[in-house]
C-alpha cells in the first residue's frame, strides 16, 4: 500500500458497520471518512461541501473511494471544485436518471435534492469505475456510459449486486488492488491518464 491518504465517500445511506467501505477504513491506517449526513438528507450540495471539507483537511491529495450515491456526489464535487485528487475508485454508481427500486429516492426527490442531471464531464483525475452485471440500482450498460463520459477505466467486477451488505458483501479485497493501482500513479502519469 502506498502512502497516499484515502478518503471514503459512502452513499446516501451513510456508513454501515458491515459495509466494505467501513471495513476498509478500519483496515487502512491512512484512511479517513466523510462524516455521516443522515439517511434522510438528500441535499446534494451539502454533501458536496462535506466532501470538499474532508479533502481540505487531508495532508495530501487523496485517493477517493466512493460507493453508490457517493460516486455521483464526487462527480458533482468535481464540477464545482478544483482541489487536487490523486485518483478515485468509483464503485457501483447508481443510475439516478432511471426509477429506483422501492425504498430508494424517487426521480422527483433526487431532482429536488440537486442530484439531476448526473454530471457527465470528464473527471480531472484518474479514476476506475467498478460495475456489477446485476446491480439493481444501475444497469451495467448505463454505468459503462458514465465511465466513458468521465474518462474512467471501466471494470466489470461480475455479478456482485450493489456491492453492499444486502448483496452479501462485507469485505471487498479487490478495492485494495484498485487503490494500489491508483496510488502507483505519480503526478505526471496521473495528468497523462486524464489528457
Amino acid at each position: 500500500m502506498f502512502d497516499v491518504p484515502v478518503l471514503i465517500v459512502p452513499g446516501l445511506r451513510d456508513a454501515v458497520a458491515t459495509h466494505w467501505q467501513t471495513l476498509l477504513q478500519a483496515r487502512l491506517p491512512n484512511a479517513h471518512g466523510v462524516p455521516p449526513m443522515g439517511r434522510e438528507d438528500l441535499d446534494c450540495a451539502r454533501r458536496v461541501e462535506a466532501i470538499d471539507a474532508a479533502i481540505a483537511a487531508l495532508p495530501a491529495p487523496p485517493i477517493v473511494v466512493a460507493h453508490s450515491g457517493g460516486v455521483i456526489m464526487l462527480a458533482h464535487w468535481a464540477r464545482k471544485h478544483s482541489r487536487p485528487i490523486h485518483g478515485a475508485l468509483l464503485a457501483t454508481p447508481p443510475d439516478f436518471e432511471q426509477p429506483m427500486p422501492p425504498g430508494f429516492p424517487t426521480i422527483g426527490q433526487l431532482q429536488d435534492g440537486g442530484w439531476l442531471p448526473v454530471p457527465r464531464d470528464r473527471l480531472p483525475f484518474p479514476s476506475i469505475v467498478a460495475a456489477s452485471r446485476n446491480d439493481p440500482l444501475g444497469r451495467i450498460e448505463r454505468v459503462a456510459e458514465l465511465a466513458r463520459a468521465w474518462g474512467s477505466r471501466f471494470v466489470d467486477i461480475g455479478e456482485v449486486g450493489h456491492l453492499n451488505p444486502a448483496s452479501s458483501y462485507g469485505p471487498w479485497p479487490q478495492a485494495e488492488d484498485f487503490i494500489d493501482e491508483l496510488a502507483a500513479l505519480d503526478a505526471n502519469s496521473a495528468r497523462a491518464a486524464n489528457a
Side-chain angles (χ1 to χ4, degrees):
M1 184 66 60
F2 295 84
D3 191 25
V4 176
V6 173
L7 179 65
I8 306 293
V9 179
L12 291 179
R13 298 187 171 192
D14 283 328
V16 176
T18 57
H19 196 286
W20 64 267
Q21 283 184 304
T22 307
L23 300 171
L24 179 70
Q25 184 174 343
R27 208 168 40 252
L28 299 179
N30 57 341
H32 310 267
V34 173
M37 301 293 293
R39 290 177 177 227
E40 303 306 315
D41 184 355
L42 288 181
D43 186 330
C44 184
R46 188 164 32 240
R47 290 175 180 262
V48 165
E49 292 312 310
I51 291 171
D52 193 57
I55 292 171
L58 295 174
I63 293 171
V64 176
V65 177
H67 176 255
S68 189
V71 174
I72 309 304
M73 289 175 223
L74 189 64
H76 280 283
W77 176 87
R79 177 180 270 181
K80 183 175 181 184
H81 294 282
S82 59
R83 292 186 198 281
I85 287 181
H86 194 86
L89 170 57
L90 310 173
T92 59
D95 185 358
F96 279 167
E97 295 171 340
Q98 300 293 316
M100 304 292 279
F104 289 90
T106 65
I107 290 177
Q109 290 171 315
L110 293 168
Q111 183 73 45
D112 291 347
W115 297 88
L116 303 176
V118 171
R120 284 175 166 71
D121 308 297
R122 186 176 179 88
L123 297 174
F125 42 81
S127 56
I128 298 168
V129 170
S132 169
R133 291 183 198 157
N134 63 341
D135 188 343
L137 302 186
R139 288 188 352 262
I140 195 165
E141 299 82 11
R142 296 273 295 179
V143 174
E145 289 171 16
L146 285 174
R148 278 191 296 278
W150 293 334
S152 305
R153 183 165 86 80
F154 177 80
V155 180
D156 175 345
I157 56 173
E159 293 188 354
V160 297
H162 193 54
L163 195 63
N164 60 2
S167 301
S168 300
Y169 268 84
W172 182 40
Q174 193 175 15
E176 292 184 53
D177 296 335
F178 291 134
I179 292 168
D180 285 346
E181 177 183 334
L182 290 163
L185 299 173
D186 64 27
N188 291 330
S189 63
R191 279 191 291 276
N194 269 331

